[in-house]
Short mmCIF file of all heavy atoms in Angstrom, two decimals:
data_model
loop_
_atom_site.label_atom_id
_atom_site.label_comp_id
_atom_site.label_asym_id
_atom_site.label_seq_id
_atom_site.Cartn_x
_atom_site.Cartn_y
_atom_site.Cartn_z
N THR A 16 40.63 172.98 104.26
CA THR A 16 40.78 174.19 105.08
C THR A 16 40.28 175.44 104.35
O THR A 16 39.88 176.40 104.99
CB THR A 16 42.25 174.40 105.50
OG1 THR A 16 43.05 174.58 104.34
CG2 THR A 16 42.76 173.22 106.31
N ALA A 17 40.31 175.43 103.04
CA ALA A 17 39.89 176.60 102.27
C ALA A 17 38.38 176.70 102.10
O ALA A 17 37.85 177.81 101.95
CB ALA A 17 40.57 176.59 100.90
N PHE A 18 37.68 175.58 102.12
CA PHE A 18 36.25 175.63 101.85
C PHE A 18 35.44 176.24 102.98
O PHE A 18 34.39 176.84 102.72
CB PHE A 18 35.71 174.26 101.45
CG PHE A 18 35.71 174.04 99.96
CD1 PHE A 18 36.75 173.35 99.35
CD2 PHE A 18 34.72 174.57 99.17
CE1 PHE A 18 36.77 173.17 97.98
CE2 PHE A 18 34.73 174.40 97.79
CZ PHE A 18 35.75 173.70 97.21
N GLY A 19 35.88 176.11 104.21
CA GLY A 19 35.13 176.72 105.32
C GLY A 19 34.97 178.22 105.14
O GLY A 19 33.83 178.73 105.14
N PRO A 20 36.06 178.95 104.96
CA PRO A 20 35.93 180.39 104.73
C PRO A 20 35.15 180.72 103.45
O PRO A 20 34.43 181.72 103.41
CB PRO A 20 37.38 180.87 104.63
CG PRO A 20 38.18 179.85 105.36
CD PRO A 20 37.47 178.55 105.16
N LEU A 21 35.30 179.89 102.42
CA LEU A 21 34.56 180.14 101.17
C LEU A 21 33.06 180.03 101.40
O LEU A 21 32.28 180.83 100.88
CB LEU A 21 35.02 179.18 100.08
CG LEU A 21 34.46 179.44 98.68
CD1 LEU A 21 34.86 180.82 98.17
CD2 LEU A 21 34.94 178.35 97.72
N ILE A 22 32.65 179.05 102.18
CA ILE A 22 31.22 178.89 102.52
C ILE A 22 30.71 180.15 103.21
O ILE A 22 29.62 180.65 102.88
CB ILE A 22 30.99 177.65 103.40
CG1 ILE A 22 31.30 176.37 102.63
CG2 ILE A 22 29.56 177.62 103.95
CD1 ILE A 22 31.41 175.12 103.50
N GLU A 23 31.48 180.65 104.16
CA GLU A 23 31.06 181.85 104.89
C GLU A 23 31.03 183.08 103.99
O GLU A 23 30.22 183.97 104.18
CB GLU A 23 31.98 182.09 106.10
CG GLU A 23 31.98 180.95 107.10
CD GLU A 23 30.60 180.56 107.62
OE1 GLU A 23 29.74 181.45 107.83
OE2 GLU A 23 30.37 179.35 107.81
N LEU A 24 31.90 183.10 103.00
CA LEU A 24 32.00 184.26 102.11
C LEU A 24 30.88 184.29 101.06
O LEU A 24 30.23 185.32 100.87
CB LEU A 24 33.36 184.25 101.40
CG LEU A 24 33.67 185.42 100.48
CD1 LEU A 24 33.78 186.71 101.29
CD2 LEU A 24 34.95 185.16 99.71
N ILE A 25 30.63 183.16 100.37
CA ILE A 25 29.66 183.19 99.26
C ILE A 25 28.41 182.36 99.52
O ILE A 25 27.51 182.34 98.69
CB ILE A 25 30.31 182.76 97.93
CG1 ILE A 25 30.73 181.29 97.93
CG2 ILE A 25 31.49 183.65 97.58
CD1 ILE A 25 31.20 180.77 96.57
N GLY A 26 28.36 181.67 100.63
CA GLY A 26 27.15 180.91 100.98
C GLY A 26 27.29 179.43 100.65
O GLY A 26 28.09 179.03 99.80
N THR A 27 26.47 178.66 101.32
CA THR A 27 26.54 177.20 101.20
C THR A 27 26.15 176.71 99.82
O THR A 27 26.85 175.91 99.20
CB THR A 27 25.63 176.54 102.26
OG1 THR A 27 25.94 177.10 103.54
CG2 THR A 27 25.84 175.04 102.31
N LYS A 28 25.02 177.19 99.31
CA LYS A 28 24.53 176.72 98.02
C LYS A 28 25.50 177.05 96.89
O LYS A 28 25.82 176.20 96.06
CB LYS A 28 23.15 177.32 97.73
CG LYS A 28 22.48 176.71 96.53
CD LYS A 28 21.04 177.16 96.24
CE LYS A 28 20.49 178.28 97.00
NZ LYS A 28 19.16 178.72 96.55
N SER A 29 26.00 178.26 96.86
CA SER A 29 26.95 178.66 95.81
C SER A 29 28.26 177.89 95.93
O SER A 29 28.84 177.48 94.92
CB SER A 29 27.23 180.16 95.90
OG SER A 29 26.06 180.89 95.64
N THR A 30 28.72 177.69 97.16
CA THR A 30 29.97 176.96 97.36
C THR A 30 29.82 175.51 96.92
O THR A 30 30.71 174.96 96.26
CB THR A 30 30.41 177.03 98.83
OG1 THR A 30 30.55 178.40 99.21
CG2 THR A 30 31.74 176.31 99.04
N TYR A 31 28.70 174.88 97.26
CA TYR A 31 28.50 173.48 96.89
C TYR A 31 28.38 173.34 95.37
O TYR A 31 28.96 172.43 94.76
CB TYR A 31 27.27 172.91 97.58
CG TYR A 31 27.38 171.44 97.91
CD1 TYR A 31 28.53 170.70 97.70
CD2 TYR A 31 26.29 170.77 98.45
CE1 TYR A 31 28.62 169.36 98.01
CE2 TYR A 31 26.36 169.43 98.77
CZ TYR A 31 27.53 168.73 98.55
OH TYR A 31 27.60 167.40 98.86
N ALA A 32 27.66 174.25 94.76
CA ALA A 32 27.54 174.22 93.29
C ALA A 32 28.92 174.40 92.65
O ALA A 32 29.27 173.68 91.69
CB ALA A 32 26.59 175.31 92.82
N PHE A 33 29.71 175.32 93.17
CA PHE A 33 31.06 175.53 92.66
C PHE A 33 31.91 174.27 92.83
O PHE A 33 32.59 173.84 91.90
CB PHE A 33 31.72 176.72 93.37
CG PHE A 33 33.19 176.84 93.10
CD1 PHE A 33 33.64 177.35 91.89
CD2 PHE A 33 34.12 176.43 94.05
CE1 PHE A 33 35.00 177.44 91.62
CE2 PHE A 33 35.48 176.53 93.79
CZ PHE A 33 35.92 177.04 92.58
N ALA A 34 31.86 173.67 94.01
CA ALA A 34 32.67 172.47 94.28
C ALA A 34 32.30 171.33 93.34
O ALA A 34 33.17 170.68 92.76
CB ALA A 34 32.51 172.04 95.74
N ILE A 35 31.01 171.10 93.17
CA ILE A 35 30.55 170.00 92.31
C ILE A 35 30.95 170.26 90.85
O ILE A 35 31.44 169.37 90.16
CB ILE A 35 29.05 169.76 92.46
CG1 ILE A 35 28.75 169.18 93.85
CG2 ILE A 35 28.52 168.83 91.37
CD1 ILE A 35 27.28 169.11 94.20
N ALA A 36 30.75 171.48 90.39
CA ALA A 36 31.13 171.82 89.01
C ALA A 36 32.64 171.68 88.83
O ALA A 36 33.12 171.12 87.84
CB ALA A 36 30.67 173.23 88.66
N PHE A 37 33.41 172.16 89.81
CA PHE A 37 34.86 172.11 89.72
C PHE A 37 35.37 170.67 89.71
O PHE A 37 36.20 170.30 88.88
CB PHE A 37 35.48 172.89 90.90
CG PHE A 37 36.95 173.15 90.74
CD1 PHE A 37 37.38 174.28 90.09
CD2 PHE A 37 37.89 172.27 91.25
CE1 PHE A 37 38.74 174.53 89.93
CE2 PHE A 37 39.24 172.50 91.10
CZ PHE A 37 39.68 173.65 90.44
N TRP A 38 34.84 169.83 90.62
CA TRP A 38 35.35 168.45 90.65
C TRP A 38 34.87 167.68 89.43
O TRP A 38 35.56 166.76 88.97
CB TRP A 38 35.10 167.76 91.97
CG TRP A 38 33.90 166.89 92.17
CD1 TRP A 38 33.49 165.82 91.40
CD2 TRP A 38 32.96 166.95 93.24
NE1 TRP A 38 32.37 165.25 91.93
CE2 TRP A 38 32.03 165.92 93.05
CE3 TRP A 38 32.82 167.77 94.35
CZ2 TRP A 38 30.97 165.69 93.93
CZ3 TRP A 38 31.78 167.54 95.22
CH2 TRP A 38 30.87 166.52 95.00
N SER A 39 33.74 168.03 88.86
CA SER A 39 33.28 167.36 87.63
C SER A 39 34.19 167.68 86.46
O SER A 39 34.59 166.78 85.71
CB SER A 39 31.85 167.78 87.31
OG SER A 39 30.98 167.36 88.34
N VAL A 40 34.55 168.94 86.30
CA VAL A 40 35.47 169.33 85.22
C VAL A 40 36.85 168.71 85.48
O VAL A 40 37.50 168.22 84.55
CB VAL A 40 35.55 170.87 85.10
CG1 VAL A 40 36.67 171.30 84.15
CG2 VAL A 40 34.21 171.43 84.64
N ALA A 41 37.26 168.70 86.74
CA ALA A 41 38.56 168.09 87.08
C ALA A 41 38.57 166.61 86.75
O ALA A 41 39.57 166.10 86.22
CB ALA A 41 38.87 168.31 88.56
N ALA A 42 37.48 165.92 87.02
CA ALA A 42 37.41 164.49 86.69
C ALA A 42 37.52 164.28 85.19
O ALA A 42 38.23 163.39 84.72
CB ALA A 42 36.12 163.89 87.23
N MET A 43 36.85 165.12 84.43
CA MET A 43 36.92 165.01 82.97
C MET A 43 38.30 165.37 82.43
O MET A 43 38.73 164.85 81.41
CB MET A 43 35.85 165.90 82.32
CG MET A 43 34.44 165.40 82.55
SD MET A 43 33.20 166.41 81.70
CE MET A 43 33.09 167.83 82.77
N SER A 44 39.01 166.25 83.14
CA SER A 44 40.32 166.70 82.66
C SER A 44 41.35 165.57 82.62
O SER A 44 42.36 165.68 81.92
CB SER A 44 40.85 167.85 83.53
OG SER A 44 41.32 167.37 84.78
N HIS A 45 41.10 164.48 83.32
CA HIS A 45 42.03 163.35 83.28
C HIS A 45 42.17 162.80 81.85
O HIS A 45 43.22 162.27 81.49
CB HIS A 45 41.56 162.24 84.22
CG HIS A 45 41.74 162.57 85.67
ND1 HIS A 45 40.96 163.48 86.32
CD2 HIS A 45 42.61 162.09 86.58
CE1 HIS A 45 41.34 163.57 87.58
NE2 HIS A 45 42.35 162.73 87.77
N ALA A 46 41.13 162.93 81.06
CA ALA A 46 41.18 162.43 79.68
C ALA A 46 42.18 163.21 78.83
O ALA A 46 42.63 162.73 77.80
CB ALA A 46 39.79 162.49 79.04
N LEU A 47 42.55 164.41 79.27
CA LEU A 47 43.52 165.23 78.53
C LEU A 47 44.95 164.95 78.96
O LEU A 47 45.89 165.37 78.28
CB LEU A 47 43.20 166.71 78.74
CG LEU A 47 41.81 167.17 78.34
CD1 LEU A 47 41.59 168.63 78.73
CD2 LEU A 47 41.58 166.97 76.85
N ALA A 48 45.13 164.28 80.09
CA ALA A 48 46.47 164.07 80.63
C ALA A 48 47.28 163.12 79.76
O ALA A 48 46.81 162.05 79.39
CB ALA A 48 46.36 163.51 82.04
N GLN A 49 48.47 163.55 79.42
CA GLN A 49 49.37 162.75 78.59
C GLN A 49 50.71 162.48 79.29
O GLN A 49 51.51 161.71 78.78
CB GLN A 49 49.64 163.46 77.26
CG GLN A 49 48.40 163.66 76.42
CD GLN A 49 47.79 162.35 75.97
OE1 GLN A 49 48.49 161.42 75.59
NE2 GLN A 49 46.47 162.25 76.03
N SER A 50 50.95 163.15 80.40
CA SER A 50 52.23 163.03 81.09
C SER A 50 51.99 162.92 82.59
O SER A 50 50.87 163.12 83.08
CB SER A 50 53.09 164.27 80.81
OG SER A 50 52.47 165.42 81.38
N LEU A 51 53.06 162.64 83.31
CA LEU A 51 52.98 162.60 84.77
C LEU A 51 52.53 163.95 85.31
O LEU A 51 51.68 164.02 86.20
CB LEU A 51 54.34 162.20 85.36
CG LEU A 51 54.38 161.95 86.86
CD1 LEU A 51 53.50 160.77 87.24
CD2 LEU A 51 55.81 161.71 87.31
N PHE A 52 53.06 165.03 84.73
CA PHE A 52 52.65 166.37 85.15
C PHE A 52 51.16 166.59 84.90
O PHE A 52 50.45 167.13 85.74
CB PHE A 52 53.47 167.45 84.43
CG PHE A 52 53.05 168.84 84.79
CD1 PHE A 52 53.50 169.43 85.95
CD2 PHE A 52 52.16 169.55 83.98
CE1 PHE A 52 53.09 170.71 86.31
CE2 PHE A 52 51.75 170.82 84.32
CZ PHE A 52 52.21 171.41 85.49
N GLY A 53 50.68 166.18 83.73
CA GLY A 53 49.25 166.32 83.41
C GLY A 53 48.36 165.56 84.37
O GLY A 53 47.33 166.07 84.81
N TRP A 54 48.77 164.34 84.69
CA TRP A 54 48.00 163.55 85.65
C TRP A 54 48.06 164.18 87.04
O TRP A 54 47.05 164.23 87.74
CB TRP A 54 48.51 162.11 85.69
CG TRP A 54 47.89 161.29 84.62
CD1 TRP A 54 48.37 161.09 83.36
CD2 TRP A 54 46.66 160.59 84.70
NE1 TRP A 54 47.51 160.30 82.65
CE2 TRP A 54 46.45 159.97 83.46
CE3 TRP A 54 45.71 160.41 85.69
CZ2 TRP A 54 45.33 159.20 83.19
CZ3 TRP A 54 44.60 159.65 85.43
CH2 TRP A 54 44.41 159.05 84.19
N GLY A 55 49.23 164.68 87.42
CA GLY A 55 49.35 165.35 88.71
C GLY A 55 48.46 166.57 88.79
O GLY A 55 47.78 166.80 89.79
N ALA A 56 48.42 167.35 87.72
CA ALA A 56 47.58 168.55 87.69
C ALA A 56 46.10 168.19 87.76
O ALA A 56 45.33 168.83 88.49
CB ALA A 56 47.87 169.36 86.42
N ALA A 57 45.70 167.14 87.04
CA ALA A 57 44.30 166.71 87.09
C ALA A 57 43.93 166.23 88.49
O ALA A 57 42.83 166.50 88.98
CB ALA A 57 44.06 165.60 86.06
N ARG A 58 44.86 165.53 89.15
CA ARG A 58 44.60 165.03 90.51
C ARG A 58 44.56 166.18 91.52
O ARG A 58 43.77 166.14 92.46
CB ARG A 58 45.63 163.99 90.92
CG ARG A 58 45.61 162.72 90.10
CD ARG A 58 44.26 162.08 89.98
NE ARG A 58 43.88 161.37 91.19
CZ ARG A 58 42.75 160.71 91.35
NH1 ARG A 58 41.88 160.64 90.37
NH2 ARG A 58 42.47 160.12 92.48
N VAL A 59 45.40 167.20 91.33
CA VAL A 59 45.33 168.37 92.21
C VAL A 59 43.96 169.03 92.07
O VAL A 59 43.30 169.36 93.06
CB VAL A 59 46.47 169.38 91.89
CG1 VAL A 59 46.20 170.74 92.52
CG2 VAL A 59 47.81 168.83 92.37
N ALA A 60 43.53 169.22 90.85
CA ALA A 60 42.22 169.85 90.62
C ALA A 60 41.11 169.01 91.23
O ALA A 60 40.19 169.55 91.87
CB ALA A 60 41.99 170.05 89.12
N LEU A 61 41.17 167.69 91.05
CA LEU A 61 40.14 166.83 91.62
C LEU A 61 40.15 166.90 93.14
O LEU A 61 39.09 167.00 93.77
CB LEU A 61 40.34 165.38 91.16
CG LEU A 61 39.22 164.41 91.53
CD1 LEU A 61 37.91 164.77 90.83
CD2 LEU A 61 39.63 162.97 91.18
N GLY A 62 41.33 166.88 93.73
CA GLY A 62 41.43 166.99 95.19
C GLY A 62 40.87 168.29 95.71
O GLY A 62 40.16 168.32 96.72
#
C-alpha cells in the first residue's frame, strides 16, 4: 500500500531502484540475525 504513493512522489525508476537496493540489503541483513527479534527485523525489512 505504501509503494503506490511513493511511485507517484519520486517516480517509477527511483522507486524501483530504491526497492531493489532495500530488499538486497535486507536479504543480506539475515546474516547478522542472532535472535528471534533479529530474524523478525530482517524479515520485516525484506517484506
Side-chain angles (χ1 to χ4, degrees):
T16 62
F18 267 98
L21 187 61
I22 293 167
E23 300 305 323
L24 183 66
I25 67 172
T27 309
K28 190 175 9 174
S29 296
T30 302
Y31 212 5
F33 169 76
I35 291 171
F37 193 89
W38 96 53
S39 297
V40 171
M43 291 183 282
S44 75
H45 288 72
L47 303 174
Q49 298 296 319
S50 65
L51 186 63
F52 178 81
W54 276 91
R58 296 308 284 181
V59 165
L61 188 65

